[in-house]
Amino acid sequence: MPLVRSPRPPALLAAALLLAAAPPARAQSTLEAPPNLKGTWAVRPGTASFVFAHRFVSLHGGDELVNFPTLTLAVGLPGRFTVGLDHATNSETVADHLGGNETEYWVKRAFRLPGGVTLGGLAAYNGLAKSFDGAVTARLPLGRLTVLGEARGFSDMFGTGDAGFAAAGGGVLHVNRYLGVMGDVGRVLSADSFGTVWSGGVAVRIPGSPHTLSLYAGNGSVATLQGASRPRALFPDKLRWGFTFTVPLGGPRRWMQILRPPPEAPPADSSAAPMDAGAAAASVLVKDFTFGPGKVRIRAGQSVRWVNQDDDVHSAVADDGSWSSPDLERGDAFARRFDTPGRYPYYCRQHPDMTGVIVVE
Ligand SMILES: [Cu+2]
């Protein structure tokens, strides 16, 4: 089919990479981007994240499901880079390999621009299409609405041998901190024969857990950059359902607890000081999914006070389970006295990638 030769994406990516360093993007969440957009999420250095994006059609009145899964594993590197791979086992991206495996290897970085815009630059290699792919995603929060736009380029689009480019846009309307309504549309722009991809559904932050989930309907295929740029090829007249589940895996230290389990946490935290412990020797601001400062030094017998300034719920939980704060809504504070010298690493129950340490001298 006739395809127009397109400008290569690396120039755009290089421009994005030259931008000044910016604070880390928000933790990964289905409330941050609709299912067919890459979004601007990043994983904190030294931690990993797993995403399961599952699409399926229901046949014979539900007697049979045909599945189109995409597994994503992402690892945070120094310099705020995130590397990962997307593996789809029932790909429809390359016409000669319907139902085959498709793996995409990628590196990504997010940049915060003035005006609240976050820009994500992604460079990828699609092993099935044998294509160097790239995407630039812009994310703009407008009150309750988050709007995203994405430009994509491919050196070998859908294994046709021709370069191509595509664009997609979408948004998430945040009903409250746990629930969003979302949708997206996208299509190849360098050729007109592939059709429009769309999806619509809801995204949920599961209360009291670090996980997010989304449920949606649409006509999309698998969740690689190329797979998200063309409608499904198999069962084209069947509505396709999907869900995406995000699992922050944390870092190696947390995984060591599988082999050396920490003691059970006491049912109540008896040493928690009153909420307005004005005598706290140090304060930790919980803001932009970060404990600031991440490392606090106090003397034995002094207290630390955490104050949540984010719209999202956060908490402070000892790595060894020996103490924890309640869930902190915006404006809530929690204080705790530390009587024994030592190192007290902790994390956020809702976002295990958020970590800090109290050093008691
Ligand atoms: Cu948190």
Side-chain angles (χ1 to χ4, degrees):
M1 50 203 77
L3 292 175
V4 180
R5 288 274 163 191
S6 64
R8 295 293 170 94
L12 211 50
L13 277 176
L17 292 170
L18 283 172
L19 290 166
R26 308 180 96 194
Q28 180 197 9
S29 159
T30 58
L31 286 120
E32 293 297 311
N36 288 322
L37 268 69
K38 286 294 181 185
T40 59
W41 59 271
V43 180
R44 282 170 196 282
T47 70
S49 193
F50 177 71
V51 184
F52 184 40
H54 192 85
R55 287 109 197 241
F56 59 93
V57 287
S58 169
L59 303 176
H60 314 303
D63 282 350
E64 192 184 340
L65 292 181
V66 180
N67 302 303
F68 303 86
T70 308
L71 308 174
T72 295
L73 184 65
V75 176
L77 298 183
R80 300 201 183 106
F81 286 96
T82 297
V83 295
L85 62 85
D86 305 327
H87 181 69
T89 60
N90 199 2
S91 166
E92 301 158 285
T93 301
V94 174
D96 291 342
H97 292 89
L98 278 186
N101 290 348
E102 175 182 356
T103 306
E104 176 175 72
Y105 309 87
W106 51 264
V107 57
K108 182 178 186 179
R109 196 185 192 286
F111 304 86
R112 199 162 291 182
L113 304 185
V117 175
T118 305
L119 210 59
L122 182 144
Y125 178 74
N126 187 310
L128 181 63
K130 296 187 170 51
S131 173
F132 292 96
D133 299 346
V136 175
T137 308
R139 175 182 174 276
L140 175 63
L142 299 166
R144 287 179 172 276
L145 182 66
T146 299
V147 181
L148 297 102
E150 192 164 284
R152 306 163 181 164
F154 316 110
S155 72
D156 188 342
M157 187 170 69
F158 309 143
T160 56
D162 288 308
F165 56 93
V172 181
L173 179 65
H174 295 254
V175 177
N176 59 39
R177 75 186 65 199
Y178 293 112
L179 180 65
V181 179
M182 61 185 186
D184 56 49
V185 290
R187 65 178 294 131
V188 167
L189 297 180
S190 56
D192 57 11
S193 51
F194 294 105
T196 299
V197 191
W198 66 272
S199 79
V202 294
V204 180
R205 170 172 295 120
I206 301 173
S209 97
H211 306 292
T212 62
L213 179 69
S214 60
L215 302 165
Y216 44 90
N219 68 348
S221 178
V222 295
T224 61
L225 212 49
Q226 292 204 24
S229 299
R230 67 184 299 178
R232 64 221 185 305
L234 299 166
F235 310 104
D237 46 3
K238 282 273 184 191
L239 186 64
R240 198 164 282 190
W241 300 95
F243 64 83
T244 298
F245 187 51
T246 66
V247 184
L249 297 174
R253 197 176 50 192
R254 190 147 313 124
W255 282 84
M256 285 304 292
Q257 295 184 1
I258 292 176
L259 301 175
R260 288 185 289 117
E264 290 292 322
D269 194 359
S270 55
S271 54
M275 284 300 184
D276 62 348
S283 282
V284 176
L285 290 186
V286 190
K287 198 165 189 279
D288 290 334
F289 290 75
T290 306
F291 293 113
K295 187 177 194 176
V296 166
R297 280 178 193 280
I298 55 170
R299 285 195 301 278
Q302 291 183 325
S303 295
V304 177
R305 186 168 184 262
W306 285 262
V307 182
N308 182 10
Q309 297 194 330
D310 268 346
D311 286 331
D312 293 76
V313 174
H314 295 291
S315 56
V317 181
D319 275 13
D320 65 5
S322 60
W323 56 272
S324 75
S325 77
D327 288 350
L328 303 174
E329 309 264 336
R330 184 185 182 91
D332 284 350
F334 166 76
R336 186 181 192 279
R337 202 177 72 222
F338 292 84
D339 290 325
T340 311
R343 239 179 138 265
Y344 297 89
Y346 65 95
Y347 65 98
C348 170
R349 185 187 299 115
Q350 286 76 16
H351 316 99
D353 291 351
M354 294 175 57
T355 60
V357 63
I358 308 298
V359 178
V360 182
E361 291 167 335

